[in-house]
Amino acid sequence: MFKSFVPPEFLAEIDQGKCRKCRRCIQNCGWDVYSWGGDRVLADDTKCVACQRCYLFCPEEAISIKSNPLAFKEHPAWSDDHRKKIYLQAETGGVLLTSMGASTPYPILWDNILIDACQVTNPSIDPLREPMELRTYLGRKPDSLEFEEDGDGGLKLKTDVAPQVKLDTPFIFAPMSYGALSLNAHKSLAMAAKELGIVMNTGEGGLHQDLYPYRDNIIVQCASGRFGVHSEYLNAGVAVEIKIGQGAKPGIGGHLPGEKVGMEVSKTRMIPQGTDALSPAPHHDIYSIEDLRQLIYALKEATDYKPVSVKIAAVHNVAAIASGIVRAGADMVYLDGARGGTGAAPTIIRDHLGIPIEHAVAAVDDRLRQEGIRHMASIIAAGGIRSSADAAKAIALGADVVSLGTAALIAMGCRVCGKCYTGNCSWGITTQRPELTRRLDPEIFAERLYNLITAWSRELKEILGALGINAVESLRGNRERLRGVGLDSLTLDILGIKPAGR
Amino acid sequence: MRIDAKGIYYRELNRILREAIASGEKELVVDNVNGQRYIADAVEEKVTIIVNGVPGNDLGVFMNGPTVIVNDSAQDAVGNTMNQGKIVIHGHAGDVLGYGMRGGKMFIRDDVGYRVGIHMKSYKKQVPVIVAGGKAGDFFGEYMAGGILMLLGLNARDGEMLAGDYLGTGMHGGVIYVRGRVEKHQLGAEVGEVDLDDQDQQLLQEHLGEFCEDFDLDLKEVMGTKFTKLIPISSRPYGNLYAY
């Protein structure tokens, strides 16, 4: 048999002395690493992705997963990774497919930004004992507010305010489709969103009937493949999102490999079973800002004028594009940075296209303010938000809310192995195999998601308290409270922040 | 009910239509239509809307039940992501018709533009149908995942090609019937030509019968020319493109 030139990335080692031969590892591994050899468990290292499912479910801790120590001769240009990719492509002739966010080590500027705090001259606030407002409304805000007498000696609002999406905390779950995710993962997100008073986003695979009861906590997406899009679906959420692009794969369409298109997904998407669900790269009814306006208003007409979000990948000219989106009538602009995740994308696209969210959110907020249209749309920042600190910095750079994709998956057990596209996820998250999806109990994993967002919300309050601010909206675009360390002056200028010490 | 659309902005026109439908009107005649967009957008009721004039883009977008008859030509993106119902156009229609169409029927008497029937879908008995009586531009049936496209070329001159290039590019489901022949160089790489069987003839009879009735044409004459049937070679055309 031909042996691949690509060495296994990991070694799955079983301590045969500790192993009780319960074979739980064989049962738990979605990758078929383990098999029964008659008297002991055998491991096929080539299939291991280090998802750690076997390790965590081995009652004897008899399994260890190690990086393959096999040495390549060191070379400053030809990394192991470059060599392995060339071996694989020489064997297959294929475009390399991958998942999750970019693995290229571009600088992450969140790690070069520090947040201010109060000392002596201005009092900080204790968030445990004083009110602290995290509530955020997504949508178009009026140019000005007019009031009139209510006849009872008071005043009432005269201005018509466009419909808003109410969020109890400035975090939302990122669009991840049913198809990329299992139904149980989708349910976990919907249940958690409901408990938290936030929203999940369907992604572009339509909405399973089981999730229609969560309509107050769902944003439905309309992408170029128009999978699962019909009038009932469009009205099944609090807002509609037009997906133009995704941070992990700017300029290309969605990609759901055929392995994950089973009967239920085939039904929701209305495509043949086993086919690759490839959405067209552009919406073929959108070749311009004017065309985008056409779809925005088609959706508004279809939903009695619900708010419409437009999601784009952060690309070089993002500020001008965002301005066009707002002028086209969008109520929210969703910016997905270059480190954003994906269920499946060509590696070369994921790792080399777009710009990071830090730059994008700062540039867009700047541009919209300069043009006097910042109030006309909310900004959603996404693409590798790893902690409440990243979130606070994104908000201070100009975002209204931050959106969590990978972080939410990690809360559900994801190990970021980057193999979602295979449909073998041992954690039951990014698979459609019933024996694997069954593992993900929505009740339990909704609670984990609830815990994560609750913890981050508390931390955000701690940060606000230290800043002496009692509402998250006072943090929004408040770049005076950020300082850069180790950043050059041009980058500081783009971010609109001063260096530490100034 | 008759509505005069002269000088009325689309938002107002559609509001009037929706209110009339909600109040129980079953047949609505809209006169002097001149480019108003989104007529019948997401309308669920099985009403009949007769459009006198040229409607604007996205006619019948997300539509889910009505019958829309246009007594003139139509513009781009007719039947965009439409789910159910019927659209009949007594004239030409523009580009990107039936984008992501999921069900229902669209009959166009004359020519259609580029990218018609792009990414049409189907599931079991829910099968969308587009019949164009004239000729079509490039990318007819692009990315098609399901449904039925028919191109008749009734107005074609002798020897004139009915479809443009890249016919059925990226097709992975559904079927295209062309009345007449198609040159190999016109076909997308994912499409193959196969012979018609009895079931195909039955399908053509059924849909073209209705088409001929709507446009007062002779079915025998329409069926008198040999049809070409195009289907995807593979349900997974890009399965080998990627390395896992």
Side-chain angles (χ1 to χ4, degrees):
Chain A
M1 200 185 91
F2 171 76
K3 191 175 174 194
S4 171
F5 286 6
V6 189
E9 203 174 349
F10 305 101
L11 303 180
E13 289 176 358
I14 302 167
D15 183 335
Q16 298 291 350
K18 283 185 181 173
C19 178
R20 269 198 301 159
K21 307 185 191 341
C22 70
R23 305 187 217 178
R24 210 167 289 181
C25 49
I26 301 176
Q27 189 193 3
N28 266 283
C29 181
W31 311 91
D32 289 334
V33 169
Y34 302 105
S35 57
W36 183 240
D39 57 345
R40 63 200 168 100
V41 175
L42 307 174
D44 179 354
D45 295 325
T46 59
K47 293 176 177 165
C48 181
V49 302
C51 80
Q52 301 177 357
R53 180 87 191 180
C54 56
Y55 170 83
L56 287 159
F57 281 78
C58 175
E60 299 300 317
E61 293 186 2
I63 296 175
S64 52
I65 306 293
K66 292 175 181 150
S67 284
N68 188 349
L70 177 72
F72 280 83
K73 182 176 165 59
E74 276 186 32
H75 192 286
W78 295 98
S79 68
D80 302 3
D81 189 50
H82 280 115
R83 278 176 268 190
K84 285 180 195 166
K85 284 175 179 164
I86 289 174
Y87 296 138
L88 183 58
Q89 292 193 294
E91 284 165 20
T92 61
V95 171
L96 298 172
L97 212 55
T98 190
S99 303
M100 308 312 293
S103 61
T104 28
Y106 300 116
I108 298 174
L109 297 196
W110 302 134
D111 299 335
N112 296 75
I113 296 175
L114 285 165
I115 301 169
D116 192 19
C118 298
Q119 295 295 295
V120 185
T121 56
N122 48 354
S124 45
I125 301 173
D126 183 346
L128 298 179
R129 278 167 279 273
E130 294 189 54
M132 192 65 82
E133 189 60 82
L134 293 186
R135 179 162 295 164
T136 302
Y137 290 89
L138 289 176
R140 175 165 298 228
K141 308 296 185 290
D143 296 339
S144 61
L145 290 178
E146 279 185 69
F147 296 89
E148 60 187 3
E149 310 235 343
D150 66 359
D152 245 352
L155 289 174
K156 65 174 187 186
L157 189 62
K158 195 179 162 193
T159 314
D160 272 340
V161 180
Q164 308 281 317
V165 177
K166 181 178 151 188
L167 304 171
D168 285 344
T169 183
F171 299 99
I172 60 174
F173 295 129
M176 293 178 280
S177 72
Y178 170 50
L181 299 194
S182 65
L183 183 57
N184 280 346
H186 241 212
K187 278 184 189 162
S188 307
L189 289 164
M191 289 165 74
K194 187 180 169 141
E195 281 303 307
L196 289 158
I198 60 168
V199 292
M200 62 94 76
N201 186 313
T202 59
E204 68 166 315
L207 186 66
H208 194 278
Q209 277 300 333
D210 290 3
L211 293 181
Y212 276 77
Y214 297 92
R215 53 176 61 241
D216 292 341
N217 302 91
I218 286 176
I219 291 179
V220 296
Q221 204 180 61
C222 173
S224 63
R226 303 288 154 87
F227 296 117
V229 177
H230 49 84
S231 51
E232 191 194 358
Y233 165 82
L234 291 174
N235 283 289
V238 288
V240 185
E241 180 167 276
I242 299 171
K243 180 201 175 187
I244 300 291
Q246 188 175 339
K249 41 182 163 177
I252 70 171
H255 184 156
L256 182 67
E259 283 83 1
K260 293 169 85 169
V261 183
M263 200 179 67
E264 282 286 314
V265 173
S266 152
K267 182 178 166 189
T268 316
R269 297 201 179 210
M270 289 184 75
I271 51 168
Q273 272 191 49
T275 193
D276 296 299
L278 296 174
S279 345
H283 288 248
H284 280 291
D285 50 356
I286 303 177
Y287 290 174
S288 67
I289 291 291
E290 290 76 10
D291 289 349
L292 175 66
R293 184 180 181 83
Q294 182 176 312
L295 185 60
I296 289 174
Y297 280 88
L299 292 168
K300 288 190 178 222
E301 283 281 325
T303 58
D304 199 13
Y305 286 78
K306 280 191 180 155
V308 172
S309 164
V310 174
K311 178 184 175 186
I312 53 167
V315 291
H316 300 184
N317 207 14
V318 66
I321 296 163
S323 165
I325 289 170
V326 176
R327 290 168 192 283
D331 304 275
M332 309 163 213
V333 182
Y334 186 123
L335 301 170
D336 199 12
R339 294 189 306 272
T342 176
T347 314
I348 211 81
I349 300 279
R350 184 198 70 171
D351 288 353
H352 299 281
L353 274 62
I355 65 169
I357 188 61
E358 306 89 298
H359 305 72
V361 75
V364 169
D365 181 64
D366 258 352
R367 181 66 171 261
L368 299 185
R369 281 174 197 277
Q370 282 162 18
E371 295 184 6
I373 57 172
R374 176 65 184 86
H375 65 287
M376 287 167 69
S378 302
I379 297 177
I380 302 168
I385 303 286
R386 305 158 299 172
S387 67
S388 59
D390 288 359
K393 292 169 190 176
I395 292 169
L397 283 181
D400 288 80
V401 308
V402 295
S403 179
L404 312 175
T406 305
L409 298 187
I410 295 172
M412 286 194 270
C414 165
R415 317 315 265 194
V416 197
C417 76
K419 298 284 181 188
C420 319
Y421 61 95
T422 62
N424 294 329
C425 178
S426 297
W427 292 87
I429 305 169
T430 61
T431 175
Q432 301 300 328
R433 286 166 53 186
E435 73 277 19
L436 301 178
T437 59
R438 208 182 303 142
R439 300 173 177 179
L440 205 153
D441 182 338
E443 301 268 347
I444 292 169
F445 287 87
E447 193 181 325
R448 293 176 77 97
L449 288 162
Y450 177 88
N451 289 343
L452 174 75
I453 302 296
T454 304
W456 284 19
S457 299
R458 284 179 182 149
E459 287 178 344
L460 188 56
K461 285 182 178 179
E462 297 276 359
I463 291 170
L464 292 175
L467 283 164
I469 290 174
N470 65 4
V472 70
E473 64 180 16
S474 303
L475 179 64
R476 189 186 315 136
N478 195 345
R479 302 187 202 185
E480 179 53 28
R481 311 303 298 273
L482 298 177
R483 289 292 185 272
V485 284
L487 295 173
D488 61 75
S489 54
L490 198 54
T491 306
L492 288 167
D493 183 47
I494 290 163
L495 296 175
I497 62 174
K498 293 174 188 155
R502 277 279 165 79
Chain B
M1 181 181 175
R2 270 198 119 87
I3 299 160
D4 186 359
K6 189 170 181 169
I8 299 183
Y9 191 51
Y10 75 77
R11 196 165 167 180
E12 178 64 6
L13 176 61
N14 288 325
R15 190 187 60 77
I16 294 169
L17 282 170
R18 266 196 296 272
E19 278 178 12
I21 292 164
S23 72
E25 287 288 341
K26 292 285 172 238
E27 187 173 299
L28 303 109
V29 182
V30 194
D31 294 320
N32 297 315
V33 173
N34 189 7
Q36 283 96 342
R37 290 178 173 180
Y38 315 125
I39 292 173
D41 183 347
V43 173
E44 305 266 345
E45 292 79 3
K46 291 193 171 11
V47 296
T48 302
I49 302 173
I50 296 166
V51 176
N52 293 320
V54 180
N57 293 350
D58 272 337
L59 170 75
V61 55
F62 310 121
M63 191 175 98
N64 197 21
T67 299
V68 178
I69 297 163
V70 180
N71 290 315
D72 209 318
S73 292
Q75 299 190 351
D76 296 336
V78 179
N80 191 347
T81 324
M82 153 180 175
N83 203 46
Q84 234 189 106
K86 184 176 173 184
I87 299 177
V88 182
I89 296 163
H90 290 263
H92 302 286
D95 299 334
V96 201
L97 309 179
Y99 179 3
M101 189 172 165
R102 305 159 45 90
K105 279 182 186 171
M106 192 182 332
F107 291 168
I108 304 107
R109 193 190 65 196
D110 301 327
D111 295 342
V112 295
Y114 294 95
R115 295 203 148 99
V116 169
I118 179 173
H119 221 314
M120 273 168 85
K121 305 167 170 57
S122 66
Y123 186 75
K124 292 192 174 159
K125 281 185 181 161
Q126 197 175 343
V127 183
V129 181
I130 298 179
V131 185
K135 305 175 293 289
D138 293 342
F139 295 103
F140 192 69
E142 188 188 19
Y143 292 109
M144 205 170 158
I148 302 167
L149 275 177
M150 295 181 183
L151 184 62
L152 307 181
L154 299 171
N155 58 1
R157 293 185 304 270
D158 266 355
E160 192 180 7
M161 294 319 292
L162 272 51
D165 290 332
Y166 308 104
L167 179 52
T169 293
M171 188 174 178
H172 52 287
V175 56
I176 301 175
Y177 299 98
V178 181
R179 182 173 170 272
R181 67 191 173 83
V182 175
E183 298 284 352
K184 195 130 184 102
H185 70 82
Q186 289 179 286
L187 299 183
E190 297 79 18
V191 185
E193 192 182 326
V194 293
D195 291 334
L196 282 82
D197 58 23
D198 290 348
Q199 229 179 338
D200 295 311
Q201 294 296 349
Q202 223 176 333
L203 207 70
L204 287 170
Q205 282 278 355
E206 183 196 329
H207 294 300
L208 295 182
E210 193 180 331
F211 183 86
C212 289
E213 214 165 283
D214 284 342
F215 294 116
D216 203 14
L217 297 165
D218 181 6
L219 177 62
K220 248 192 196 151
E221 205 182 308
V222 172
M223 292 292 291
T225 302
K226 195 169 176 279
F227 278 78
T228 303
K229 179 185 180 184
L230 303 169
I231 57 164
I233 297 168
S234 153
S235 71
R236 202 178 173 188
Y238 303 113
N240 294 325
L241 190 61
Y242 300 97
Y244 277 32

